[in-house]
Amino acid sequence: MPPIDDEDWSDSDEEALSEVETSVLLGTPDGAITAAADLADAAVSRIGGHPAFLPSNEPSFSSSQCKACSRPMELLVQMWCPFENSPMDRALYVWGCAVPGCQAKEGCIRAWRGLRYNDAYAAKLEKKLAKQKAKAPIPAEKATPKPNPFSLSGVPNSSPFGLGAQIFGDSPSTASSPPVEEADEPSDNESDATSEEELLTALAATTLEESPWRSAPSYTPLYLSTCSEYLPAQPKPKLPPGVQVIEPLDDPDKGGKDVSWIAEAYENSLDVDQVFERFTKRVGFEGDQCVRYELEGTPLPYASDSILESLFPLPPAPPLPVTKAAFTVVSPAKRAYDPSSVPSCPVCKSKRIFECQLMPNLINVLRASSDTEDKRKKLTDEERRKLVEQELKGSNSGGSRGMEWGTCLIFSCSKDCSLTDDGKEARESWREEVVLIQWGV
């Protein structure tokens, strides 16, 4: 065996074995919800079950009705997702119709956001912002990365409420927001525990007693937890000395996280199978994911269809040369993400931004009973991989009644407005948002 040449070794050899964190949070099921307090708590994110509403005035039961058949739909997910530095409590609710005849019809999946002004946190937020304004500006290279609204645990007081480990965003690796109060103020910190308990009590106070929502159809409620998405690092090629590769798709504003998987442009030559193959490859790194969350991020397309055409349009083609002497080489056109086709908020007229998408595995999780969920945890890696492939291809229907979509893309008001119909500020709000659905291949 010839001796090992040290010059043949490269950092990329180790990098190929590492993983890179993206800017996406993945929502996964985390066991059945049995505690009555959690079921009534709007700050506990869930899969299935009945909704726990934020607005004190219970929304109209028609919010859950399918626009195709007018029947009440089951709650698919409820997510606790307040915007950063906002005084509003915020939750996102998504309902879906499982009637076969309603599939592929407009209004069979509906998403709503509920807002409620939080007086206690608004006072804390005002105090926090005043302190920040009084301090000297922090150099850009030392600035704290922008936190994700789901990072509710892992760092003391990293959330407005410290709501515990079962809430959407239970991932220490994504918790990066600074404490609301300064560490050198023990008196304020001591009062935080009392205020947080009061906030939790207030959140849990909304119940569905004597309400039509109580008798609505529902799936078994499961906790919805999150983790950061990690992807295998792309191996770097060994290049001659002095050669440099520039990757224009890397966005320095993403806090150093790898976003090349998301920002990758789509070539015009891609057909349905190739887009679907890229989707399944990306999802395959965490097959249990039911939700992908990336506020103001880029959706992961499921197939080449009208939704892909509208969100990833082709750029204008350059004029072709008309003379032989002017022959040029024209590069293939590439699609880039452009959400300008998504309707604006009808209330404040602001643009809507991508917030999250529902994944195919959610259909299977909702359909499965608690016993089936326990069996899934005992599957081997190979059995789990095959099951995920069946779910993605729609071959694991498990009955005549069920949803058949590939992914549901949810776009929300970028200003998260809380306005009445006549444009006045309101302490509470209940607004429907846009859902774009890509169906099975």
Side-chain angles (χ1 to χ4, degrees), residues 148-410:
N148 189 290
F150 292 103
S151 300
L152 298 179
S153 65
V155 173
N157 292 333
S158 63
S159 72
F161 314 109
L163 290 170
Q166 292 294 354
I167 299 171
F168 196 52
D170 180 22
S171 175
S173 62
T174 62
S176 58
S177 61
V180 172
E181 301 295 340
E182 296 296 325
D184 57 354
E185 295 182 15
S187 59
D188 287 344
N189 287 338
E190 289 173 1
S191 65
D192 283 348
T194 301
S195 61
E196 287 168 3
E197 183 177 353
E198 292 174 352
L199 290 171
L200 282 170
T201 302
L203 288 170
T206 302
T207 64
L208 300 177
E209 297 296 338
E210 300 181 359
S211 164
W213 294 99
R214 176 63 66 184
S215 58
S218 66
Y219 297 105
T220 301
L222 305 171
Y223 287 109
L224 180 62
S225 297
T226 60
C227 60
S228 294
E229 181 187 47
Y230 288 90
L231 302 175
Q234 300 297 305
K236 297 181 179 179
K238 297 180 181 180
L239 302 173
V243 176
Q244 183 179 5
V245 176
I246 300 177
E247 300 181 18
L249 294 178
D250 289 342
D251 187 350
D253 296 332
K254 288 293 185 178
K257 295 182 180 181
D258 177 74
V259 296
S260 59
W261 286 78
I262 302 172
E264 179 181 331
Y266 284 83
E267 293 188 5
N268 189 33
S269 61
L270 291 181
D271 58 25
V272 172
D273 290 339
Q274 289 172 310
V275 174
F276 179 72
E277 181 181 355
R278 182 176 183 270
F279 180 92
T280 54
K281 181 178 180 181
R282 180 72 176 268
V283 174
F285 294 115
E286 177 50 73
D288 284 342
Q289 62 183 274
C290 294
V291 177
R292 294 176 64 85
Y293 188 95
E294 187 188 16
L295 185 64
E296 205 169 358
T298 305
L300 179 65
Y302 179 78
S304 290
D305 57 6
S306 60
I307 301 298
L308 180 74
E309 293 288 337
S310 63
L311 295 179
F312 294 83
L314 284 172
L320 296 176
V322 295
T323 63
K324 185 175 181 180
F327 284 164
T328 58
V329 176
V330 180
S331 301
K334 291 188 177 182
R335 300 179 182 273
Y337 178 57
D338 179 9
S340 59
S341 61
V342 178
S344 300
C345 175
V347 183
C348 70
K349 311 306 179 185
S350 300
K351 68 175 183 179
R352 280 190 170 103
I353 55 176
F354 173 73
E355 182 168 2
C356 63
Q357 66 188 100
L358 308 185
M359 304 303 286
N361 186 48
L362 176 62
I363 298 176
N364 183 74
V365 170
L366 290 169
R367 185 184 296 120
S369 64
S370 299
D371 291 339
T372 303
E373 183 69 15
D374 292 336
K375 293 178 182 178
R376 283 173 58 87
K377 294 179 181 179
K378 300 177 182 179
L379 295 179
T380 65
D381 290 343
E382 180 64 19
E383 290 172 335
R384 187 181 298 274
R385 184 187 65 80
K386 290 182 179 180
L387 182 58
V388 170
E389 288 180 354
Q390 292 174 350
E391 293 160 357
L392 290 173
K393 294 178 180 179
S395 59
N396 191 36
S397 59
S400 59
R401 175 179 168 84
M403 295 169 288
E404 299 174 355
W405 42 262
T407 188
C408 301
L409 314 176
I410 300 172

Side-chain angles (χ1 to χ4, degrees), residues 81-86 88 90 92 113 115 146 149 293-297 337 339 342-355 410-419 431-434:
C81 46
F83 278 16
E84 181 187 6
N85 289 334
S86 170
M88 306 297 291
R90 183 177 187 272
L92 190 67
R113 61 180 170 93
L115 300 178
K146 180 180 178 181
Y293 188 95
E294 187 188 16
L295 185 64
E296 205 169 358
Y337 178 57
V342 178
S344 300
C345 175
V347 183
C348 70
K349 311 306 179 185
S350 300
K351 68 175 183 179
R352 280 190 170 103
I353 55 176
F354 173 73
E355 182 168 2
I410 300 172
F411 294 80
S412 304
C413 173
S414 59
K415 289 189 177 180
D416 203 32
C417 65
S418 181
L419 304 174
R431 293 293 177 185
E432 186 166 14
E433 296 293 8
V434 170

